[in-house]
Amino acid sequence: MKKHWIAAAFVACLLLTGCGAAEHTEDETTGSAVQANTEQPVSKEIFAMDTYMTITAYGENGQKAVDAAQQEIERLDALLSTGSADSEISALNASGTAQLSSDSAELVSCALEINESTGGAFDITVYPLMQAWGFTDESYRVPSDSELTTLMETIGSDQLDWDADNRTLTLGDGQAIDLGGIAKGYTSGRIMELFDECGVESGMVSLGGNVHVHGAKPDGSKWRIGIQDPENSEDIAGVLEVTDCAVITSGGYERYFEQDGTTYHHIIDPSTGKPADNGLTSVTIVSADGTLADGLSTALFVMGVDQATEYWRQHADEFDAVMITEDGTIFVTEGIADVFSSDRTFETIARK
Ligand code: ADP
Ligand code: MG
């Protein structure tokens, strides 16, 4: 299952330019030469977790940090991918019960917390639905209502038996889980920790358009992150200027198929078993916590703008959001309204 490569490559380009890193080198062999100038980034592009990724780090330990980040991405991909039969999550789905590694355990704990707080809009038990709609192997199809009704009996995190002390997860009958809604946010968060451990003060990753920035740019200015226009992959809807945070977008345009004139995308509403259809075309979450940002980008997309607004008002200290609706209206929560800019007018959501 591949994302839209061209769109992903475009976003990566845009971000590098936006970050003033146009002079980066992709040639590992020149990495040591680059390290001599602390203003020059070390940057690497890889393909993992079904998407294009760019890792960029500044400073004398830039190369070390970028290499460590790549290793971490590959380690987590092998652990979490439902696409590879020998991953820990695939083994769990096959056997129905498993004692999990500390990474998977942390992800499951976070997923259950987000499930609870979002009233079930985020739910890792959607995997059988992802399979039925063909998103797991590109065998796209529209399941019949009766097939969905039967499958819906297996949907619900309340059927999972999670023993956090022993890190043991047992699935209910017919259940399977998919950490795809939070895996990249968790990974980018881990990379920020590795940047810290390597003594890198300035760096960023873009994991298929999911961006996480560390510190500020080397000149002390903020990172500029473009938010893709959901209607046009070659345009941006706005720019955020931020430091030290994850900026993670979920949109129906990222992965979809068309049948009989209808578009079906990969973000499933766990209450209907069908692609979420609540009026949003993209949701971007800004938060210091990458895992939370990733989970909430999916959850708020499922909720729709009214419910998402209510949710934000109750959790405004944890994150901010940019939401774009089908009619092109851009909503920006108050906490980031002064660091968001757009050619278009946008509406600010007040805390109230
Ligand atoms: P992407 O992975 O494209 O960046 P998201 O972060 O929105 O996008 O995650 C979508 C992925 O999450 C899907 O591919 C699927 O694996 C999983 N998923 C889909 N719907 C849900 C949901 N309601 N709750 C949790 N995970 C979901
Ligand atoms: Mg997500």
Side-chain angles (χ1 to χ4, degrees), residues 21-74:
E23 292 165 320
H24 77 293
T25 175
E26 285 155 67
D27 180 356
E28 280 182 81
T29 58
T30 61
S32 52
V34 165
Q35 286 176 38
N37 180 347
T38 54
E39 293 302 310
Q40 288 279 8
V42 177
S43 191
K44 196 171 208 175
E45 282 169 34
I46 60 170
F47 190 85
M49 298 184 174
D50 279 334
T51 193
Y52 277 111
M53 306 187 161
T54 309
I55 314 160
T56 305
Y58 290 80
E60 55 184 339
N61 292 327
Q63 187 69 54
K64 191 177 149 201
V66 167
D67 290 344
Q70 179 176 7
Q71 272 181 22
E72 183 67 353
I73 289 167
E74 286 165 0

Side-chain angles (χ1 to χ4, degrees), residues 262-273:
T262 306
T263 302
Y264 301 95
H265 60 72
H266 72 311
I267 302 171
I268 301 291
D269 184 337
S271 71
T272 63

Side-chain angles (χ1 to χ4, degrees), residues 122 179-185 210 248-251 254 266-267 283 285 290-299:
F122 185 85
L179 297 173
I182 47 173
K184 281 182 285 183
N210 287 358
I248 294 183
T249 301
S250 285
E254 291 176 323
H266 72 311
I267 302 171
V283 173
I285 304 291
T291 314
L292 181 75
D294 200 357
L296 290 183
S297 71
T298 309

Side-chain angles (χ1 to χ4, degrees), residues 135-177:
F135 285 108
T136 52
D137 59 2
E138 290 182 10
S139 59
Y140 303 124
R141 56 190 275 276
V142 179
S144 69
D145 283 347
S146 66
E147 185 182 351
L148 287 179
T149 304
T150 307
L151 275 179
M152 285 299 285
E153 288 171 19
T154 69
I155 309 305
S157 288
D158 52 347
Q159 295 177 47
L160 295 171
D161 184 0
W162 175 228
D163 179 346
D165 292 337
N166 294 310
R167 299 201 313 238
T168 301
L169 183 63
T170 304
L171 310 178
D173 279 348
Q175 284 197 306
I177 65 159

